[in-house]
Amino acid sequence: MTQTKTPPPPMDTAKKARVFIWVLLAALVAVGVIWYTAFSLNKPAPTAPAPAAEAQLVREDSHRVTSPSTEKAVLVEFLDFECEACLAAQPVVEDLKKEFGDRITFVNRYFPLPAHRNSATAALAVEAAAQQGKYEQMYAKMFETQPQWGEKTQSQAPLFRTFAQELGLDLAAYDAAVADDKTKERIKKDIADGTALGVKGTPTFFLNGKMLNLETKEQFRQLLADAGK
């Protein structure tokens, strides 16, 4: 005689909604060596992650988006432009940047995850824009439009090129930068550093060299306030 199985109770979505965005970090895909084969459009030789002893949290060419006259602390974010958690965190980061940017240097580093089909392409577009002095404009554009292009299976490179055009970039120089292995290596260097430093998902923040375990916006703000004294 077949017994009818009782279906499991529905998931408590209200409870899920109360969980702050940072806990999504644990659910994001870990970054491994497979990234290096998936990333390059021209498939150059893979670059091994930097040994932990050689990894740098901030490099000379890292994107510093605030320039305090007197630096009290440094906040580094490893981010992925296709990551929904990064999109949710971005307004919080912008608010904190306005509040603490005169005391704290905010640094952005690329960390596109292999599960996101267009995150590497987005990073290439942003870095190509940075070479023409439009890093922050393209950075903002990617997050503003993420619902439009995120989670697509086909390449969004043509769309990103229209963003470059809208920003008034020299498209020939943009195309050359996107295709240049040096641009790709610049992004891979961020990934290698992040991997060696223990980054496994995005967004991941380091304050004065310490990886943060964030649960609330208020906690995040208080940590910056204390560091900026």
Side-chain angles (χ1 to χ4, degrees):
M1 181 174 179
T2 304
Q3 295 182 342
T4 302
K5 295 183 178 180
T6 303
M11 186 177 295
D12 186 350
T13 55
K15 182 177 180 181
K16 288 176 60 183
R18 290 195 297 269
V19 180
F20 193 70
I21 192 65
W22 311 123
V23 302
L24 293 176
L25 297 175
L28 293 170
V29 179
V31 175
V33 177
I34 59 169
W35 157 251
Y36 295 103
T37 58
F39 168 71
S40 176
L41 300 179
N42 293 329
K43 301 185 185 300
T47 302
E54 298 177 10
Q56 295 182 34
L57 190 55
V58 182
R59 292 184 178 268
E60 185 177 349
D61 61 355
S62 295
H63 293 295
R64 296 161 175 81
V65 293
T66 60
S67 302
S69 55
T70 302
E71 181 184 278
K72 297 294 186 67
V74 177
L75 179 75
V76 180
E77 178 184 4
F78 285 86
L79 60 88
D80 175 336
F81 293 108
E82 196 171 353
C83 166
E84 292 182 354
C86 291
L87 175 62
Q90 198 238 358
V92 175
V93 174
E94 290 300 314
D95 287 344
L96 295 173
K97 193 187 303 179
K98 291 175 184 176
E99 185 173 0
F100 298 106
D102 61 338
R103 288 163 280 165
I104 297 176
T105 299
F106 284 65
V107 180
N108 293 344
R109 302 200 67 180
Y110 303 110
F111 205 77
L113 297 167
H116 294 151
R117 299 290 293 272
N118 280 286
S119 57
T121 307
L124 274 176
V126 173
E127 185 58 26
Q131 294 179 23
Q132 296 189 47
K134 294 292 182 72
Y135 170 80
E136 292 189 61
Q137 292 88 335
M138 187 66 94
Y139 161 97
K141 190 75 171 176
M142 287 298 175
F143 281 125
E144 288 168 6
T145 61
Q146 190 201 95
Q148 176 183 351
W149 60 266
E151 304 300 329
K152 303 286 187 183
T153 56
Q154 66 273 29
S155 173
Q156 297 298 297
L159 176 63
F160 299 157
R161 192 175 188 273
T162 68
F163 296 165
Q165 186 174 22
E166 291 169 4
L167 292 175
L169 300 183
D170 179 327
L171 291 183
Y174 171 85
D175 291 339
V178 167
D180 192 343
D181 283 347
K182 290 182 180 179
T183 310
K184 299 169 186 176
E185 290 300 324
R186 164 71 181 75
I187 297 168
K188 287 181 179 181
K189 185 167 57 179
D190 279 11
I191 298 167
D193 279 344
T195 301
L197 292 165
V199 176
K200 292 181 171 62
T202 55
T204 294
F205 295 91
F206 290 81
L207 181 59
N208 287 341
K210 180 181 178 181
M211 186 186 292
L212 301 183
N213 181 18
L214 297 168
E215 296 180 359
T216 67
K217 177 181 177 180
E218 291 71 24
Q219 175 205 12
F220 197 1
R221 184 191 174 281
Q222 189 60 54
L223 287 170
L224 296 189
D226 292 343
K229 290 180 179 178

